[in-house]
Amino acid sequence: MSGTAGAGAGGAGRARATRGRAAVEPSVVLTGVCGRLGRLLLRGLHREGRVVGIDRRDFPDAPPDLVHYRLDLRRKACRDVFRREPVRAVVHLGVMHDPRMSAETRHAWNVEGFGRVLEYVAAHRIPKLVLLSSAAVYGARPGNAQFLLEDAPLLAASRLSEIRDLVELDMLAQTFFWRAPECETVILRPSFIAGQVHNEIYSYFRLPVVPRLLGFDPMMQFVHEDDVVSALRLALRPGLRGIFNLGGPGVLPLSQVIARVGRPSAPVAHLLARRLLDGLWRFGLTDFPGREIDYLRYVCMVDDGRARRDLGWQPRHTLDETIRAIRDAVTA
Amino acid sequence: MLAPEAALAPLAPPAPREPLTSLPPPAPTLAPLRAAAAGPVTRSLRTAGHRLRRLIDPEFERQYERILERLGLQNFDPFGFNVGYARYVLHAAAWMYRRWFRCRVEGLERIPPGRALLVANHSGQIPIDGMMIATALLLDHDPPRLVRSMIEKWAATLPAISTFLARCGQVVGLPENCRLLLEREELILVFPEGTKGISKTIDRAYQLEEFGSGFVRLALENHAPIVPVAVVGAEEQYPSVANLKALADLVGAPAVPVSPLFLLGPVGLLPLPTRYHIAFGEPIRLEGEVDEEDERVTEHVHRVRSTVQELLRRTLERREGIFR
């Protein structure tokens, strides 16, 4: 159903796009441009060509050459952006993972919003779509291979509802490989991102005493935010499509990471840890959801050989620098 | 490589080998408390360690350093092997190998220099057999080699044990993990009998259970030779007379063995000092395609299984007594 509707809108959109092309050069659309990664990506990108940002948030200190639309992705006005602009690529960073928001609202926003993006990409024959997913979609499980490949099943949602949104988005983007074969779809699945990014791992390290699970010390991967941005830029190159894991410069056991980040930590029996975190969560003392302790228990690391080979990606920051980025973010 | 004097130096507290660059030590809240407790503890550990180390042959340290140098291992490897941690465990294993189980090993020279799958019979209730095979390759093989054995997925869910196994270089037995290790030309130890093998009761000692077939596909896919291994002596270390299946299911463990020695209390928990005989057979190079039909794979499995059984029989025949 949505397919036919999309095709109808596509005819009109293409006509306008052709008319506008002479005047305006094709732009890159960044959704969620006001987030940390959006800003970082923008920093390099807006000097090379036209960049259009879409975000619900205001962007007060935006560079003057950024065309920013303060819009909800689900709004009709958003369609006009795509009608107005000839677009050469869409980078979807606008995934909301505010754990405080009700699961339903967030789910609706994420899935519906991305659904719209896909619709516009299909309708306007945009040649490139990049989704920033996460390695967490594979889920931390005892039966995980030490380094998961891109074709491993996405099993995170079976235990963890928080990540369900992301798994669904990832799956939606995967359907695009055959739904819109003319569009070069790229899905990036980075490991935990280190830097000023507000994610769960950051909330975890911000706990007054960082809990470890007694008797568990899984190996972990981290990737620096700059390296994620460089992967996003590489993904924008024409001719590239596919799913790419982004592992990082090296692996370390959790206990070593905590020590290097410089936080006090304590081992807690895992049955207790869950309750403890749920309690802290309820009183608003942490933004780290107790349900995510599986990531502190089992290994969830990825093999990024494909990204290094086909994307030409190489993490520029060393393991030490990456861990230091977490430390700086946490202590700041 | 360390000189023999250095090998006898007092045991230092486990420290990461690779000095961290400019990062500060972990923020200390419990530090004073810990330091107060650590004084006597480290001191007594140091004396104990010093004594322990005199018991083991100094060869160990030399061989271990050779391995680390050859594999370029520092601190942690991607699978969670920790150089400092494993040193202590392998020290203990070396002592058990020489003094407790007084292992006799033959056929080490048959092990090919590069990648290979060691396929062994599994026995003894707890996997000391794997540890002894690994120690044999560490102490008595030239050059010393690190063996990574494949563990059950179930073991990864156990607190402490999962970490212990990972730090000593054990890896969850998945094809992806094996592939990575074989690509690095490592030695992988497989027990195709699985938990059925290790938990057999004494009346079925040295009778192989059915073999799983995963290892054959791995060998075919990665062009890895299979080295059959027979371990004799482990069956008697914990003579199990029954396996409490119901209790095992209840706690989610693969088996709960019952040994009459448990009546002796804590002493009964020690494995009997049986003598281990470990025999390595001629490597088997399987010919075939990865996507071989199950029937062909089963043929290969049977071939390997009967080779191990035969090796086991010959080693058993030559044994003069359980403890001799």
Side-chain angles (χ1 to χ4, degrees):
Chain A
M1 190 208 92
S2 69
T4 44
R14 253 197 329 280
R16 274 161 212 248
T18 334
R19 245 187 289 133
R21 199 159 289 154
V24 198
E25 64 166 315
S27 56
V28 177
V29 172
L30 301 184
T31 65
V33 69
C34 301
R36 171 73 179 169
L37 286 168
R39 283 164 196 250
L40 283 178
L41 179 58
L42 180 64
R43 199 178 283 172
L45 213 55
H46 76 101
R47 293 208 185 82
E48 290 166 15
R50 196 173 148 80
V51 180
V52 174
I54 303 180
D55 201 310
R56 294 200 308 171
R57 293 164 283 189
D58 234 347
F59 200 162
D61 49 352
D65 51 356
L66 170 76
V67 186
H68 183 57
Y69 294 94
R70 188 158 166 263
L71 279 178
D72 189 315
L73 279 175
R74 297 173 298 174
R75 298 281 297 276
K76 281 223 178 67
C78 207
R79 188 183 298 260
D80 282 340
V81 176
F82 287 87
R83 286 190 184 129
R84 210 173 297 140
E85 299 273 347
V87 178
R88 69 179 168 97
V90 175
V91 181
H92 187 66
L93 302 169
V95 183
M96 190 169 350
H97 46 226
D98 179 4
R100 290 274 163 208
M101 192 182 257
S102 100
E104 282 148 73
T105 325
R106 198 186 50 215
H107 184 256
W109 196 90
N110 277 335
V111 174
E112 221 177 299
F114 188 54
R116 290 288 160 80
V117 171
L118 292 184
E119 198 181 298
Y120 305 147
V121 171
H124 297 271
R125 304 278 168 95
I126 295 169
K128 174 77 82 182
L129 170 72
V130 182
L131 168 71
L132 186 67
S133 180
S134 160
V137 293
Y138 297 112
R141 313 173 76 241
N144 271 359
Q146 196 76 5
F147 295 96
L148 295 158
L149 288 167
E150 282 83 354
D151 51 9
L154 311 185
L155 293 168
S158 62
R159 300 252 332 232
L160 206 71
S161 60
E162 269 73 10
I163 203 126
R164 197 182 60 197
D165 297 12
L166 204 49
V167 173
E168 262 178 62
L169 261 52
D170 196 299
M171 296 284 201
L172 272 174
Q174 287 185 50
T175 64
F176 228 57
F177 287 123
W178 53 264
R179 257 175 65 198
E182 71 281 0
C183 172
E184 291 167 3
T185 306
V186 178
I187 303 174
L188 298 178
R189 294 188 187 142
S191 56
F192 295 114
I193 301 175
Q196 310 288 337
V197 183
H198 288 253
N199 53 17
E200 287 76 11
I201 207 74
Y202 169 87
S203 313
Y204 170 68
F205 284 116
R206 293 275 301 231
L207 283 162
V209 174
V210 181
R212 279 176 292 127
L213 298 183
L214 188 65
F216 290 101
D217 196 9
M219 303 302 282
M220 292 204 144
Q221 275 173 328
F222 295 90
V223 60
H224 196 282
E225 51 185 11
D226 295 346
D227 290 324
V228 176
V229 170
S230 77
L232 283 167
R233 303 204 47 179
L234 288 169
L236 283 172
R237 274 182 325 187
L240 259 166
R241 63 170 75 219
I243 308 176
F244 300 97
N245 288 334
L246 306 174
V251 298
L252 267 185
L254 177 63
S255 59
Q256 293 266 310
V257 179
I258 299 172
R260 289 187 185 201
V261 169
R263 300 285 300 154
S265 86
V268 185
H270 65 272
L271 294 172
L272 215 90
R274 178 71 199 275
R275 280 161 196 232
L276 200 80
L277 285 167
D278 282 347
L280 285 173
W281 164 268
R282 199 164 304 132
F283 294 109
L285 294 173
T286 176
D287 282 333
F288 181 73
R291 279 162 291 237
E292 302 212 357
I293 56 169
D294 274 358
Y295 292 94
L296 311 177
R297 190 172 174 193
Y298 303 126
V299 53
C300 179
M301 297 198 296
V302 291
D303 185 324
D304 55 17
R306 189 191 283 178
R308 288 169 195 254
R309 204 173 46 243
D310 298 349
L311 206 58
W313 178 74
Q314 186 81 36
R316 223 163 279 129
H317 290 272
T318 63
L319 187 58
D320 267 355
E321 286 164 0
T322 308
I323 303 291
R324 206 173 301 144
I326 303 177
R327 192 192 61 184
D328 293 345
V330 170
T331 50
Chain B
M1 216 181 291
L2 288 180
E5 304 88 61
L8 285 172
L11 230 57
R17 288 167 59 81
E18 168 198 65
L20 305 181
T21 48
S22 55
L23 292 179
T29 46
L30 298 171
L33 250 175
R34 224 179 267 155
V41 171
T42 27
R43 248 200 315 283
S44 54
L45 268 181
R46 200 170 292 162
T47 7
H50 192 66
R51 280 193 198 131
L52 250 180
R53 204 176 279 206
R54 278 178 182 286
L55 291 174
I56 322 164
D57 68 86
E59 190 88 353
F60 170 82
E61 198 69 25
R62 208 163 54 81
Q63 297 283 81
Y64 191 58
E65 290 297 329
R66 277 176 75 191
I67 283 193
L68 300 183
E69 200 175 318
R70 203 163 61 90
L71 297 179
L73 281 174
Q74 278 187 343
N75 207 3
F76 283 92
D77 94 332
F79 286 89
F81 175 86
N82 179 230
V83 169
Y85 193 105
R87 184 188 302 265
Y88 292 90
V89 178
L90 293 174
H91 253 296
W95 183 84
M96 280 163 73
Y97 177 86
R98 293 266 192 245
R99 305 294 169 109
W100 191 267
F101 295 116
R102 308 165 321 279
C103 296
R104 289 223 175 113
V105 184
E106 61 171 55
L108 273 173
E109 70 287 347
R110 302 197 175 112
I111 293 170
R115 62 177 75 179
L117 284 169
L118 305 176
V119 174
N121 62 311
H122 211 6
S123 55
Q125 313 308 330
I126 59 170
I128 302 177
D129 47 356
M131 204 164 159
M132 291 302 114
I133 295 172
T135 314
L137 274 138
L138 178 72
L139 289 181
D140 291 338
H141 191 261
D142 192 51
R145 302 206 46 187
L146 191 63
V147 176
R148 326 281 307 234
S149 66
M150 297 286 113
I151 59 169
E152 285 278 321
K153 263 183 237 173
W154 170 75
T157 65
L158 302 175
I161 295 173
S162 58
T163 314
F164 169 83
L165 294 172
R167 294 294 169 269
C168 304
Q170 322 289 294
V171 172
V172 176
L174 293 165
E176 295 88 342
N177 290 347
C178 286
R179 215 167 286 143
L180 274 179
L181 289 167
L182 289 174
E183 273 166 19
R184 287 159 45 165
E185 304 297 328
E186 295 208 35
L187 275 183
I188 289 182
L189 173 59
V190 202
F191 296 107
E193 290 174 272
T195 47
K196 284 202 302 292
I198 193 167
S199 58
K200 14 180 195 288
T201 46
I202 195 75
D203 55 309
R204 288 186 299 130
Y206 302 115
Q207 296 167 26
L208 293 180
E209 294 288 332
E210 275 311 311
F211 272 24
S213 62
F215 74 94
V216 165
R217 287 197 193 276
L218 268 173
L220 288 173
E221 187 187 336
N222 298 291
H223 306 287
I226 288 175
V227 181
V229 185
V231 181
V232 167
E235 291 277 17
E236 293 88 1
Q237 69 191 7
Y238 284 115
S240 161
V241 291
N243 182 4
L244 302 181
K245 285 253 160 50
L247 182 59
D249 289 345
L250 192 71
V251 298
V256 175
V258 181
S259 158
L261 296 174
F262 292 170
L263 293 173
L264 297 174
V267 183
L269 291 177
L270 284 176
L272 290 179
T274 54
R275 188 189 284 279
Y276 268 46
H277 300 259
I278 305 172
F280 296 89
E282 279 305 333
I284 305 170
R285 283 170 209 279
L286 297 180
E287 300 286 333
E289 295 299 315
V290 188
D291 284 328
E292 203 88 68
E293 279 172 49
D294 270 353
E295 213 171 295
R296 286 281 295 150
V297 168
T298 317
E299 271 171 41
H300 289 313
V301 174
H302 283 314
R303 181 172 155 215
V304 176
R305 183 168 177 267
S306 53
T307 318
V308 175
Q309 184 74 74
E310 175 60 21
L311 193 62
L312 201 52
R313 195 186 55 75
R314 267 189 288 141
T315 318
L316 257 174
E317 257 171 23
R318 263 178 292 148
R319 175 165 80 157
E320 288 158 356
I322 294 175
F323 298 100
R324 299 177 59 202

